[in-house]
C-alpha cells in the first residue's frame, strides 16, 4: 500500500497566487513576475495577456493600432461596449481590473519595420501576433528580436486546435522559411504537418480537412478562428513563457507546440 505523502507546500507570499502552489514554486513565481513581455498585436494577444497575467507575469508592453470590431468578439478578450475603441486601451483596462499592480505600457499604433526597435528596449520575451499578410513587418520583428537576443513566441489559432512556435536567437527562424504567393499561414501548416503526421496521440483528420478548405478559400477570407483555439493558444504560450523564464526544456522552431480538442 502506498504511503500518503506528508509534504507541506511552501506557500506564496502574495495571496493572489496561493492557488498556484504545487505547480509553481515561490522562486519560480518570483522569476516570472518582473519579466517584461512585449505583445505585438492584442487580438489573439488579448487572450494570451490575461492568461499570462493570471499566471503571475506582471510587466507588459502592448502594441496594436486596431480598434475592436464586432467580428472580434467571437474569440478575443473584449465585449460589446468596447466595439470601435482601441484594443490596447480596452485590454489595458481589463488587465488592470484583474491586477491593479500590473505594469503596462501601451501604444495605439501599427508597428512599422523602421519603428520596431525602440519598442523592444528592455523587453525580455516577445509575442509576435502580427498578421502574416502585413507585408514584411512580422518577419522584421523577429529579425530585430534576434539581434537583441529576445526569444519570440508565435501563437496560432486553428479553431478546434491551436499551435505555437518558439523562435530563439539561436534557433531556425520563421522568416527564413520559403514563402510563396499564397498566405504564409498555409506554409506554416504544411511545416507543422511534417512534425505532427506521425503522432498517434492526436486526431488530425479535422485539421487536414480544414487545411484543404482553407487552401481553396484563402484568397477570399481571412483566417477563420474560434474562441476554443484562442484559449488553447494562450495555454501553450503560457507554458512556453514559464518554461523559458525558468530554464526548462523547450521546443524551438520548426518543431511546433500543438493542442487539439477533436
Amino acid at each position: 500500500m502506498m504511503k500518503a505523502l506528508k509534504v507541506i507546500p511552501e506557500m506564496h507570499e502574495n495571496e493572489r497566487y496561493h492557488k498556484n502552489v504545487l505547480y509553481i514554486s515561490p522562486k519560480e513565481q518570483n522569476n516570472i513576475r518582473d519579466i517584461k513581455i512585449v505583445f505585438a498585436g492584442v487580438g489573439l494577444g488579448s487572450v494570451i495577456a490575461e492568461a499570462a497575467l493570471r499566471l503571475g507575469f506582471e510587466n507588459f508592453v502592448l502594441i496594436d493600432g486596431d480598434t475592436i470590431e464586432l467580428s472580434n468578439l467571437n474569440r478575443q478578450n473584449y465585449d460589446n461596449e468596447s466595439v470601435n475603441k482601441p484594443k490596447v486601451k480596452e485590454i489595458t483596462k481589463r488587465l488592470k481590473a484583474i491586477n491593479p499592480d500590473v505594469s503596462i505600457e501601451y501604444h495605439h499604433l501599427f508597428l512599422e519595420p523602421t519603428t520596431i526597435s525602440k519598442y523592444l528596449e528592455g523587453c525580455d520575451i516577445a509575442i509576435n501576433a502580427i498578421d502574416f499578410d502585413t507585408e514584411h513587418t512580422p518577419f522584421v520583428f523577429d529579425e530585430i528580436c534576434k539581434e537583441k537576443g529576445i526569444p519570440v513566441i508565435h501563437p496560432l489559432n486553428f479553431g478546434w486546435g491551436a499551435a505555437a512556435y518558439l523562435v530563439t536567437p539561436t534557433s531556425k527562424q520563421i522568416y527564413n522559411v520559403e514563402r510563396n504567393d499564397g498566405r504564409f499561414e498555409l506554409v506554416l501548416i504544411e511545416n507543422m504537418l511534417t512534425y505532427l503526421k506521425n503522432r498517434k496521440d492526436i486526431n488530425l483528420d479535422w485539421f487536414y480537412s480544414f487545411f484543404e478548405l482553407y487552401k481553396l478559400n484563402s484568397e477570399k477570407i481571412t483566417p477563420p478562428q474560434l474562441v476554443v483555439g484562442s484559449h488553447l493558444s494562450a495555454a501553450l504560450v503560457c507554458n512556453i513563457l514559464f518554461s523559458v523564464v525558468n530554464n526548462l526544456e523547450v521546443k524551438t522552431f520548426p518543431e511546433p507546440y500543438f493542442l487539439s480538442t477533436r
Side-chain angles (χ1 to χ4, degrees), residues 148-171:
K148 292 180 176 291
I150 300 172
V152 182
I153 302 171
H154 284 264
L156 298 162
N157 179 338
F158 292 124
W160 297 116
Y165 284 112
L166 171 63
V167 180
T168 70
T170 58
S171 74

Side-chain angles (χ1 to χ4, degrees), residues 36 40 63 89 101 126 154 160 172 213 235-236 249 252:
K36 193 172 186 178
I63 308 168
K89 290 186 178 181
D101 296 327
H154 284 264
W160 297 116
K172 293 183 178 179
L213 279 172
L236 286 172
E249 185 177 354
T252 58

